[in-house]
Amino acid sequence: MKRFLFIMAILCVWCVPFTYVKAVSNVELQDTSRFEHIISKGDTGGGDGKYIELSTVKDVSTSGSTKSIEAKIYVVLPSSDLIREYKVRYDYDLNRSFANMVAKAPELKIRLPDFSLNEIWNIKMMESGIVGTVLNQQDYTLNGESKPTQPPLKGYENVTFLTPTDFDFESYHVANRVFKMVYGTFYDDVIR
């Protein structure tokens, strides 16, 4: 009986799923069949940059008026010997796309006689229509070795240059690029 219990215990340990972290190196990020380099305003040209892992970009929408996309985005910081992997979810309010707001401008002009198209820019500055959330992050060295990842400080979980997505800032351009990868058009060109 003891032998049977021992064998069952070993089988149970074998069947326990292990979480496997696949490290990514800077060399791997150059593989254009797996990763797309995002040309970024913040790139210095010293080997830094942002990369989207193409196989991870997926539509996870549950609503018709809001599109949601998840993706893994890697940020390379060579001076710190660091690659930071972010799993991000972007939620896009289709009613807040620039093209949709311009299409609705005549209705607004009737209700608000002083309304002008310049106001749309101000509205987008207050609420861009895209919300970004960091779901997970992992750190690696440039050679692809896993590094201990510190959790973000309380209250700063989503403060990165990928989120929040303020209109016309770096994070907004990244989110717009991810939207185009899934839907073939930029978020601000969508009319509902």
Side-chain angles (χ1 to χ4, degrees):
M1 182 68 166
K2 287 182 183 179
R3 179 178 259 185
F4 176 74
L5 289 175
F6 179 72
I7 292 172
M8 290 304 290
I10 289 175
L11 288 174
C12 286
V13 169
W14 250 7
C15 296
V16 173
F18 292 98
T19 55
Y20 175 70
V21 176
K22 183 183 177 289
V24 173
S25 71
N26 198 21
V27 172
E28 287 177 277
L29 290 174
Q30 307 311 310
D31 180 354
T32 57
S33 67
R34 290 182 53 207
F35 301 94
E36 181 174 324
H37 180 230
I38 303 169
I39 305 301
S40 172
K41 293 178 184 177
D43 290 354
T44 65
D48 56 344
K50 297 175 191 70
Y51 296 84
I52 299 173
E53 187 172 0
L54 300 173
S55 65
T56 66
V57 179
K58 62 182 175 182
D59 183 348
V60 292
S61 302
T62 58
S63 162
S65 64
T66 302
K67 296 295 183 190
S68 299
I69 300 172
E70 288 182 1
K72 282 188 183 176
I73 301 173
Y74 297 85
V75 179
V76 180
L77 304 164
S79 62
S80 302
D81 187 29
L82 178 68
I83 297 172
R84 181 159 286 157
E85 170 193 295
Y86 293 98
K87 183 175 182 184
V88 181
R89 186 185 74 237
Y90 292 112
D91 297 306
Y92 306 82
D93 181 349
L94 299 182
N95 294 315
R96 306 288 294 184
S97 79
F98 206 84
N100 195 61
M101 292 174 76
V102 168
K104 304 286 184 198
E107 296 172 25
L108 292 171
K109 187 77 171 154
I110 292 169
R111 286 189 276 154
L112 307 165
D114 293 336
F115 180 81
S116 74
L117 290 178
N118 295 337
E119 294 298 321
I120 293 175
W121 186 271
N122 295 330
I123 293 168
K124 290 285 284 182
M125 290 299 280
M126 288 186 288
E127 187 182 332
S128 70
I130 304 174
V131 175
T133 306
V134 174
L135 302 174
N136 195 349
Q137 77 181 46
Q138 177 64 45
D139 292 345
Y140 310 105
T141 66
L142 294 177
N143 292 331
E145 299 166 13
S146 291
K147 292 177 83 168
T149 302
Q150 300 296 322
L153 297 172
K154 185 135 179 79
Y156 291 89
E157 294 89 351
N158 290 321
V159 180
T160 72
F161 36 86
L162 299 173
T163 61
T165 49
D166 297 328
F167 184 58
D168 203 33
F169 286 95
E170 181 72 17
S171 58
Y172 191 84
H173 294 290
V174 172
N176 226 343
R177 184 80 179 145
V178 169
F179 190 90
K180 185 173 184 184
M181 292 173 83
V182 173
Y183 299 109
T185 187
F186 288 111
Y187 162 69
D188 276 320
D189 294 334
V190 173
I191 298 177
R192 284 199 70 210

